[in-house]
Amino acid sequence: MSVLKKMDTPIGKYAPDFELPGIDNQVHHLRRYLEKFRAVGVISMCNRCSYVGLYIDKLKKLQTELGKQGFTLIGVNGNIAQNDPNESFDNMKSFAREYQLNFPYLWDSTQDVTRSFGATKTPMAFLIDKDGIIRYRGQVDSDAQQLGSQQKAYLKNAVVSLLKSEEIDIAETEPLGSSLVWRN
């Protein structure tokens, strides 16, 4: 019987560095992003999750709005592809084209990075400051389908606070979405 070793990187600790292939056929290094941006949002996502589908436009809008201020998003697919061909690297490229992603989409084929971050759901957000410290983790916002004043934009508020060098009011929320599929 194999036991899944639980790993986790809590708020206030260094994010796990990574080198992952992107759909642009380049290798992406977290350290290089931290050298270029004041804040990096890592989103645990996948091709087949209906919750991810509900959040794609919000994530693209967040990238557009805050990208000019020193922020970038990075999507990471850590779902296991061997039992679900929809999660293959080629299908990630198709997904990115279909949704016209405006941020990198990376493949964590070993699930090591996803596990190290402590991701459990798709989507799940991690906000990292320029020093590599995790400052927020959890939901993108309070409701994938709700728009307007009742919605709490957790990730966006955390990014704005971080960019203003202010304290993040809500640093962690319980992730909401589809459970990641792990390798046995």
Side-chain angles (χ1 to χ4, degrees), residues 50-61:
S50 59
Y51 285 95
V52 170
L54 293 170
Y55 276 107
I56 284 294
D57 287 338
K58 291 179 182 188
L59 293 170
K60 289 173 21 182
K61 183 177 179 185

Side-chain angles (χ1 to χ4, degrees), residues 14-132:
Y14 285 102
D17 198 8
F18 58 75
E19 293 181 11
L20 294 173
I23 59 165
D24 59 357
N25 296 317
Q26 301 294 314
V27 175
H28 295 255
H29 305 260
L30 177 60
R31 180 59 42 207
R32 290 187 187 151
Y33 282 97
L34 296 175
E35 291 169 358
K36 288 174 55 175
F37 297 95
R38 296 172 42 215
V40 175
V42 174
I43 305 294
S44 174
M45 57 187 274
C46 65
N47 304 333
R48 63 160 179 80
C49 174
S50 59
Y51 285 95
V52 170
L54 293 170
Y55 276 107
I56 284 294
D57 287 338
K58 291 179 182 188
L59 293 170
K60 289 173 21 182
K61 183 177 179 185
L62 183 65
Q63 176 64 42
T64 299
E65 286 179 16
L66 299 176
K68 298 175 189 101
Q69 298 175 41
F71 169 74
T72 192
L73 278 174
I74 302 170
V76 175
N77 185 344
N79 255 354
I80 189 67
Q82 73 189 97
N83 296 329
D84 186 353
N86 291 322
E87 295 301 338
S88 72
F89 190 63
D90 286 337
N91 280 328
M92 286 175 58
K93 292 177 180 183
S94 298
F95 177 89
R97 275 191 306 274
E98 177 183 346
Y99 288 99
Q100 299 177 355
L101 296 185
N102 60 351
F103 54 87
Y105 191 21
L106 314 182
W107 191 30
D108 181 15
S109 63
T110 65
Q111 299 185 308
D112 291 343
V113 173
T114 301
R115 187 174 284 120
S116 294
F117 268 96
T120 56
K121 305 274 185 181
T122 58
M124 185 172 176
F126 299 87
L127 178 61
I128 306 164
D129 69 16
K130 66 181 178 351
D131 296 320

